C-alpha cells in the first residue's frame, strides 16, 4: 500500500505539464540577460579584487624583501668602491714609493751634485697645468713666489698648493677636499707623475719640465713634503662619510626627519553588497528576494582631504575626512489590477415597438495600473580615516602600501526599497527602521603610486579596498546588508618639508 | 548535455544552456505551480519567477543532492511567496485550528495525475499548500509550520481537512463515473 502511495507520489512529482517554452523564454530572457550581466560584473569585481590583492601582497613582499636590501646594496657598493679605491691607492702608493725612491736616489744625487738646499727649494708652479721646477735658484735668499698664477712651496713644512687659479698656499689643517675619491686617485696619479717629473727636472736642470696635465675636476692639489727629503706619501684625505653628510643634509631640511603633506583625493569604487536574511522566516525570504530583484548596485564615489606625516624612513600616518556616496538603482515595474463596481446600465431591452428599456444595476469595473519606477538609492557617509603607510622609491616615482581604519561619523540614506508586503518603503524618511545612523569601523588597505610633479607637488594613484565591519541595518530589520568597496583613487598633494 | 554539464554551462551564463534548462524542466515546474495555484496564468507567472530565481541562485547549487529537487524547492517557495503576497494562505489557515484530526488513508488509485492535480486545485488555498507540502513534497509539519508561519497543529489539522475534502470529491467523481 505504502509502495503504491510512493509510486503515486513520484508520479505526481515527475509529472510534466505542456508549456510553450518559447513564450516562457521570451518572457524571462531580458531578466536572464540582466542576471548574466550582473554575474559578469561580479566576476570582474572578483578578478579586480584578486589582482589588487596580489599587487598589494607582491608590493608588500617586495618592500619587505628588498626595501632594506637596497640600502645594504648601496653600502656594499660604497664599500666595494672603497676597497677598489684603497686597492687603487695602494697600487698607486707602491708606484709612488717606487717613483719616490727613484726620485730620492736621483734627487739625492742631483742635490749633492748641485748643492741644493731643499729647505729653500723653489717651486714654481704654473697654474696652466704646468709645473716648473726652478732648479737654477741656488741662493735661499732668492726664494720667491711668482705671483703670476704660480704657487710656491716651502718644503720644510707641510703645505698645500691650491691650484684654483689664485695660487694660495694652505696649511695642512686647512685642507679642503672638494672632489670625490675618483678625483683623489687622479690627484695621486698626477702627483706621482709630478714628483717624477720634478725629480727628472732636478736631474737635468737644463731640460725643461714636462707639463703636468691636471684633470679639469681637480681644484685642490695636496702635496706633503718631508723636512729633509722630498717625499710624497699617501695623501691624508678625509673621506666623505655618509653619516656626516646625512646629518648635514638633515640640518638643511626644513622639516627635519618628518615631512607634512596635505592632499585632496577623489575616487570611484565597485560596490559589493552582501544581502542576507537576519531572521529566518518566510517573510524575510520574500523580502530578500524582492530586494535582490529590484535593486542594482552601481558605484561609490568619494571625496576627501587628508593630512599626511611622513618619516624619512618611509613610514607615514595620515588622517582627515572623507565623504562617500554609494549609489544603487531601485526599479519597480509592476502591474496592479484593481477591481470595484459602479452603478450603470446592466441590461437594455429593445421591445417590438422600438422602445428600449434600460435596467440599472451594479457593474464590475477593472482598472489596470502599470507602474514603472526607477529611483536611485544613495548611502552617504562621512568618515575619518586613520591610515598608516610605508613607501619607497626613487627620484620622482614612489610606490607605497597603506592600511588603516575609517571611523564612520554619519550615515544618511535616501531612496526606496521593497518590503515584504510589496509596498515601497522610503529609506530616507524611515532610516531609523532599517538603517543605522553610524556604521562603525571599516578597514582600508591599498597601494599607491606617487609621482612628483614639482619640488613639493605630487600626484598619487591608489587602488584600494574598503571593507565594512558591521551591517548597515538595525537589528530589528528582517535583512542584513553589508558592503565592501574596491576602487581607485587619485589625489594631489602638497608637501612641506623634504 | 547531461545534467551536470547543463548546470555548469548555466553557471557560466551561457544562454543556450539556460534555454535548454527552461526547455527541460519547465514542464515539471509548471506542474508544481499548478498544484499550488488554481489559474493557469498565475501558475505561468510563478514559473517565470521561479526560473529567474533559479538562474540567479544557480551558483549556490553545489551539485549535492538532486537538481530537480533543488529547483522544485525554489518553485515551491515562489508559489508560497505569491500566496503570501495575496494574503490567501494566511487567511484560510486561521479558520481550521480546532478541526478533527482523524485521518483516513487517501485512495486516489483510479485517478490520473491530471485529475489529481485538478482535485488539489479545487482545495482551498491553505489546505492546498499544506497538502502539497506534506503529502506530495514530503515536508514535515514542523517544516510546514515554519514555511507558512502557522503552528504545527494547525498544519496537521489542515492536512486532515484537505484529505477529507479530497476523499469527498474523489467519491463524487467515482459516483459520476459509475452512473455514466
Amino acid at each position: 500500500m505504502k509502495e503504491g502511495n510512493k509510486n503515486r507520489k513520484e508520479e505526481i512529482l515527475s509529472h510534466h505539464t505542456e508549456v510553450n517554452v518559447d513564450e516562457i523564454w521570451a518572457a524571462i530572457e531580458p531578466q536572464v540577460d540582466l542576471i548574466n550581466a550582473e554575474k559578469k560584473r561580479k566576476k570582474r569585481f572578483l578578478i579586480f579584487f584578486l589582482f589588487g590583492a596580489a599587487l598589494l601582497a607582491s608590493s608588500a613582499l617586495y618592500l619587505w624583501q628588498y626595501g632594506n636590501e637596497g640600502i645594504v646594496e648601496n653600502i656594499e657598493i660604497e664599500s666595494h668602491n672603497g676597497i677598489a679605491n684603497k686597492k687603487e691607492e695602494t697600487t698607486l702608493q707602491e708606484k709612488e714609493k717606487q717613483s719616490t725612491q727613484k726620485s730620492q736616489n736621483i734627487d739625492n744625487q742631483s742635490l749633492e751634485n748641485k748643492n741644493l738646499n731643499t729647505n729653500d727649494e723653489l717651486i714654481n708652479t704654473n697654474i696652466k697645468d704646468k709645473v716648473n721646477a726652478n732648479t737654477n735658484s741656488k741662493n735661499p735668499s732668492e726664494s720667491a713666489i711668482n705671483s703670476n698664477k704660480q704657487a710656491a712651496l716651502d718644503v720644510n713644512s707641510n703645505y698645500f698648493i691650491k691650484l684654483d687659479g689664485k695660487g694660495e698656499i694652505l696649511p695642512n689643517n686647512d685642507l679642503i677636499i672638494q672632489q670625490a675619491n675618483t678625483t683623489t686617485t687622479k690627484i695621486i696619479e698626477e702627483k706621482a707623475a709630478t714628483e717624477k717629473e720634478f725629480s727628472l727636472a732636478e736631474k737635468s736642470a737644463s731640460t725643461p719640465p714636462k707639463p703636468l696635465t691636471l684633470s679639469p675636476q681637480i681644484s685642490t692639489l695636496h702635496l706633503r713634503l718631508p723636512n729633509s727629503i722630498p717625499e710624497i706619501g699617501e695623501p691624508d684625505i678625509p673621506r666623505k662619510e655618509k653619516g656626516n653628510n646625512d646629518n648635514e643634509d638633515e640640518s638643511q631640511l626644513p622639516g627635519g626627519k618628518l615631512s607634512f603633506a596635505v592632499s585632496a583625493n577623489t575616487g570611484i569604487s565597485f560596490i559589493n553588497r552582501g544581502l542576507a536574511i537576519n531572521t529566518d522566516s518566510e517573510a524575510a525570504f520574500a523580502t530578500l528576494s524582492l530586494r535582490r530583484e529590484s535593486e542594482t548596485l552601481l558605484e561609490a564615489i568619494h571625496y576627501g582631504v587628508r593630512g599626511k606625516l611622513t618619516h624619512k624612513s618611509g613610514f607615514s600616518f595620515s588622517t582627515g575626512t572623507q565623504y562617500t556616496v554609494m549609489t544603487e538603482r531601485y526599479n519597480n515595474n509592476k502591474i496592479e489590477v484593481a477591481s470595484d463596481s459602479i452603478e450603470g446600465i446592466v441590461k437594455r431591452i429593445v421591445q417590438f415597438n422600438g422602445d428600449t428599456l434600460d435596467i440599472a444595476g451594479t457593474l464590475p469595473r477593472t482598472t489596470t495600473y502599470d507602474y514603472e519606477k526607477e529611483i536611485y538609492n544613495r548611502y552617504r557617509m562621512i568618515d575619518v580615516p586613520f591610515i598608516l603607510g610605508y613607501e619607497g622609491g626613487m627620484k620622482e616615482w614612489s610606490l607605497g602600501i597603506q592600511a588603516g581604519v575609517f571611523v564612520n561619523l554619519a550615515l544618511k540614506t535616501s531612496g526606496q526599497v521593497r518590503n515584504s508586503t510589496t509596498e515601497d518603503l522610503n529609506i530616507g524618511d524611515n532610516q531609523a527602521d532599517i538603517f543605522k545612523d553610524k556604521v562603525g569601523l571599516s578597514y582600508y588597505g591599498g597601494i599607491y603610486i606617487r609621482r612628483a610633479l614639482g619640488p613639493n607637488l605630487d600626484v598619487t594613484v591608489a587602488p584600494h579596498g574598503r571593507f565594512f565591519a558591521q551591517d548597515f541595518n538595525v537589528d530589528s530589520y528582517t535583512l542584513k546588508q553589508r558592503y565592501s568597496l574596491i576602487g581607485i583613487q587619485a589625489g594631489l598633494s602638497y608637501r612641506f618639508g623634504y | 548535455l547531461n545534467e551536470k554539464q547543463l548546470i555548469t554551462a548555466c553557471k557560466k551564463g551561457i544562454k543556450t544552456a539556460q534555454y535548454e534548462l527552461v526547455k527541460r524542466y519547465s514542464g515539471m515546474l509548471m506542474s508544481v505551480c499548478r498544484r499550488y495555484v488554481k489559474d493557469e496564468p498565475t501558475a505561468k507567472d510563478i514559473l517565470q519567477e521561479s526560473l529567474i530565481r533559479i538562474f540567479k541562485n544557480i551558483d549556490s547549487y553545489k551539485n549535492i543532492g538532486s537538481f530537480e529537487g533543488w529547483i522544485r524547492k525554489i518553485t515551491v517557495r515562489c508559489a508560497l511567496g505569491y500566496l503570501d503576497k495575496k494574503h490567501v494562505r494566511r487567511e484560510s489557515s486561521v479558520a481550521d485550528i480546532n478541526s478533527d484530526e482523524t485521518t483516513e488513508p487517501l485512495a486516489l488509485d483510479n485517478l490520473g495525475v491530471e485529475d489529481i492535480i485538478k482535485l488539489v486545485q479545487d482545495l482551498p488555498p491553505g489546505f492546498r499548500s499544506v497538502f502539497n507540502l506534506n503529502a506530495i513534497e514530503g515536508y514535515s509539519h514542523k517544516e510546514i509550520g515554519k514555511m507558512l508561519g502557522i503552528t504545527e497543529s494547525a498544519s496537521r489539522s489542515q492536512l486532515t481537512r484537505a484529505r477529507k475534502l479530497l476523499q469527498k470529491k474523489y467519491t463524487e467523481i467515482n459516483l459520476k463515473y459509475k452512473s455514466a
Side-chain angles (χ1 to χ4, degrees):
Chain A
M1 185 73 182
K2 273 189 175 179
E3 191 65 31
N5 276 341
K6 201 178 172 183
N7 289 341
R8 222 60 226 282
K9 210 169 113 179
E10 286 297 319
E11 205 181 323
I12 295 167
L13 284 173
S14 58
H15 179 258
H16 282 63
T17 305
E18 281 292 315
V19 283
N20 187 341
V21 176
D22 290 329
E23 191 191 332
I24 288 168
W25 178 250
I28 65 167
E29 196 180 3
Q31 295 214 50
V32 171
D33 286 340
L34 279 175
I35 292 164
N36 291 342
E38 180 70 15
K39 274 183 183 174
K40 275 181 188 169
R41 193 177 157 276
K42 277 186 180 172
K43 204 176 173 183
R44 277 204 303 273
F45 176 84
L46 190 71
I47 290 166
F48 186 78
F49 177 79
L50 289 174
F51 176 74
L55 201 65
L56 183 69
S58 56
S59 306
L61 193 69
Y62 177 82
L63 288 172
W64 179 69
Q65 191 72 23
Y66 300 107
N68 292 330
E69 209 169 289
I71 298 162
V72 172
E73 260 178 23
N74 289 336
I75 293 163
E76 279 174 1
I77 289 161
E78 278 174 16
S79 67
H80 286 161
N81 286 340
I83 292 161
N85 289 336
K86 266 191 177 177
K87 277 180 183 174
E88 211 173 340
E89 282 167 20
T90 314
T91 319
L92 287 167
Q93 225 177 314
E94 283 168 6
K95 281 180 184 175
E96 276 174 38
K97 275 181 184 174
Q98 284 170 9
S99 87
T100 310
Q101 277 172 1
K102 283 177 187 176
S103 304
Q104 277 174 4
N105 293 335
I106 298 162
D107 288 347
N108 287 339
Q109 285 172 8
S110 305
L111 287 167
E112 279 168 16
N113 291 337
K114 295 183 180 182
N115 292 322
L116 285 172
N117 186 355
T118 53
N119 288 339
D120 300 312
E121 186 64 48
L122 289 176
I123 302 169
N124 291 327
T125 309
N126 191 335
I127 300 304
K128 290 177 180 177
D129 302 329
K130 290 178 182 179
V131 177
N132 295 319
N134 187 357
T135 52
N136 295 327
S137 301
K138 291 175 184 177
N139 189 354
S141 62
E142 289 174 10
S143 297
I145 298 166
N146 297 327
S147 61
N148 184 19
K149 293 185 178 179
Q150 285 184 346
L153 175 67
D154 185 352
V155 290
N156 273 332
S157 57
N158 292 332
Y159 280 101
F160 309 100
I161 306 167
K162 194 178 180 187
L163 301 177
D164 58 359
K166 292 176 183 174
E168 287 177 2
I169 299 169
L170 300 169
N172 191 13
N173 52 7
D174 287 337
L175 179 68
I176 299 164
I177 297 300
Q178 295 171 354
Q179 299 296 325
N181 291 339
T182 48
T183 316
T184 313
T185 313
K186 285 177 184 174
I187 294 168
I188 296 159
E189 280 174 346
E190 283 151 8
K191 244 166 46 179
T194 311
E195 186 61 29
K196 197 176 177 181
E197 284 161 15
F198 176 72
S199 305
L200 287 168
E202 287 287 334
K203 195 179 174 184
S204 55
S206 58
T207 314
K210 286 181 180 176
L212 170 65
T213 306
L214 292 174
S215 164
Q217 290 176 318
I218 297 169
S219 57
T220 304
L221 178 63
H222 175 198
L223 293 174
R224 178 179 288 170
L225 299 175
N227 286 336
S228 56
I229 305 162
E231 188 184 337
I232 297 174
E234 189 184 353
D236 187 18
I237 301 166
R239 290 196 177 277
K240 187 179 177 180
E241 287 177 20
K242 197 176 181 246
N244 293 340
N245 288 324
D246 284 350
N247 289 336
E248 280 171 22
D249 291 346
E250 276 170 18
S251 65
Q252 288 165 8
L253 295 172
K257 288 183 176 180
L258 293 171
S259 76
F260 180 71
V262 286
S263 63
N265 310 302
T266 184
I268 188 162
S269 307
F270 283 107
I271 303 173
N272 190 32
R273 185 180 74 174
L275 189 63
I277 295 169
N278 191 21
T279 50
D280 190 15
S281 69
E282 187 61 34
F285 185 85
T287 311
L288 175 70
S289 173
L290 284 168
R291 284 199 57 189
R292 278 186 176 166
E293 282 164 16
S294 60
E295 291 168 32
T296 311
L297 301 173
L298 296 177
E299 76 289 315
I301 293 172
H302 69 261
Y303 317 92
V305 285
R306 287 183 203 168
K308 186 179 176 186
L309 210 56
T310 308
H311 189 261
K312 200 170 185 299
S313 60
F315 287 99
S316 65
F317 170 75
S318 59
T319 186
T321 183
Q322 185 166 305
Y323 175 69
T324 310
V325 186
M326 296 193 300
T327 309
E328 294 170 3
R329 189 175 57 233
Y330 167 67
N331 290 95
N332 187 2
N333 302 331
K334 61 177 181 182
I335 296 167
E336 274 187 6
V337 180
S339 299
D340 59 358
S341 56
I342 54 165
E343 291 297 321
I345 298 162
V346 292
K347 200 172 183 181
R348 174 166 284 173
I349 300 164
V350 183
Q351 294 176 336
F352 287 110
N353 59 5
D355 293 343
T356 56
L357 182 64
D358 291 339
I359 298 166
T362 308
L363 288 168
R365 184 176 65 177
T366 306
T367 313
T368 305
Y369 299 96
D370 195 350
Y371 294 98
E372 280 188 18
K373 192 186 272 185
E374 186 173 280
I375 288 169
Y376 289 90
N377 293 348
R378 291 197 168 85
Y379 301 82
R380 297 178 174 87
M381 288 173 285
I382 295 174
D383 304 279
V384 175
F386 296 98
I387 296 164
L388 289 171
Y390 178 78
E391 76 170 45
M394 51 189 175
K395 290 183 181 175
E396 67 265 33
W397 289 95
S398 298
L399 178 70
I401 54 169
Q402 51 188 359
V405 291
F406 279 58
V407 179
N408 183 252
L409 300 180
L411 169 70
K412 184 80 186 158
T413 58
S414 65
Q416 290 186 4
V417 294
R418 298 278 288 275
N419 66 8
S420 59
T421 55
T422 68
E423 297 291 326
D424 295 336
L425 192 65
N426 190 314
I427 58 171
D429 298 339
N430 304 295
Q431 184 179 344
D433 297 334
I434 306 174
F435 296 106
K436 296 170 182 170
D437 57 353
K438 290 185 189 76
V439 286
L441 295 181
S442 54
Y443 302 109
Y444 175 88
I447 60 166
Y448 64 92
I449 298 160
R450 182 163 65 84
R451 191 187 189 281
L453 296 178
N456 294 91
L457 196 66
D458 296 329
V459 64
T460 52
V461 176
H464 64 272
R466 189 177 164 193
F467 308 92
F468 289 87
Q470 291 182 15
D471 296 324
F472 276 44
N473 308 97
V474 290
D475 293 338
S476 56
Y477 187 56
T478 50
L479 304 181
K480 50 185 182 182
Q481 65 192 87
R482 191 181 290 194
Y483 290 89
S484 58
L485 309 172
I486 293 282
I488 194 154
Q489 172 182 289
L492 267 179
S493 65
Y494 186 84
R495 267 180 295 125
F496 304 91
Y498 68 89
Chain B
L1 288 175
N2 63 30
E3 192 182 84
K4 205 173 177 181
Q5 288 169 330
L6 185 70
I7 294 162
T8 312
C10 286
K11 280 181 181 178
K12 285 178 184 170
I14 298 166
K15 272 182 89 174
T16 48
Q18 287 168 330
Y19 177 78
E20 177 61 30
L21 190 141
V22 173
K23 199 175 164 184
R24 205 177 283 188
Y25 295 106
S26 56
M28 183 267 288
L29 296 178
M30 186 65 179
S31 296
V32 176
C33 297
R34 282 177 62 221
R35 279 194 280 116
Y36 284 86
V37 289
K38 200 172 182 179
D39 59 317
E40 293 283 316
T42 311
K44 211 181 265 181
D45 286 347
I46 293 167
L47 172 67
Q48 287 170 9
E49 197 184 327
S50 308
L51 288 166
I52 289 162
R53 276 196 200 183
I54 288 163
F55 290 130
K56 210 171 231 180
N57 298 299
I58 199 160
D59 288 329
S60 62
Y61 176 69
K62 307 290 179 199
N63 294 319
I64 301 163
S66 153
F67 181 67
E68 265 193 35
W70 185 75
I71 58 174
R72 194 185 295 125
K73 215 171 195 175
I74 288 176
T75 311
V76 168
R77 282 183 181 275
C78 269
L80 293 176
Y82 168 80
L83 293 171
D84 194 38
K85 280 181 209 169
K86 294 286 170 191
H87 301 282
V88 177
R89 201 178 68 206
R90 214 175 286 275
E91 282 164 13
S92 57
S93 66
V94 177
D96 302 287
I97 295 170
N98 298 318
S99 64
D100 184 10
E101 288 195 15
T102 53
T103 51
E104 289 167 22
L106 189 62
L108 303 169
D109 296 343
N110 299 334
L111 294 177
V113 178
E114 272 298 325
D115 295 327
I116 294 171
I117 288 173
K118 274 175 188 162
L119 274 181
V120 172
Q121 278 179 338
D122 282 340
L123 286 172
F127 295 174
R128 197 194 302 150
S129 299
V130 174
F131 180 80
N132 274 317
L133 289 168
N134 181 277
I136 297 170
E137 312 288 350
Y139 288 98
S140 68
H141 286 292
K142 198 177 176 182
E143 287 170 323
I144 295 166
K146 272 187 180 177
M147 286 165 81
L148 302 182
I150 57 173
T151 60
E152 206 177 315
S153 59
S155 170
R156 282 180 199 282
S157 69
Q158 283 192 29
L159 180 71
T160 311
R161 296 289 295 270
R163 280 174 178 273
K164 276 185 178 173
L165 273 171
L166 280 175
Q167 196 66 58
K168 193 181 166 188
K169 285 185 179 185
Y170 175 64
T171 315
E172 282 170 10
I173 291 166
N174 263 352
L175 284 171
K176 275 181 189 175
Y177 267 110
K178 280 175 186 172
S179 61

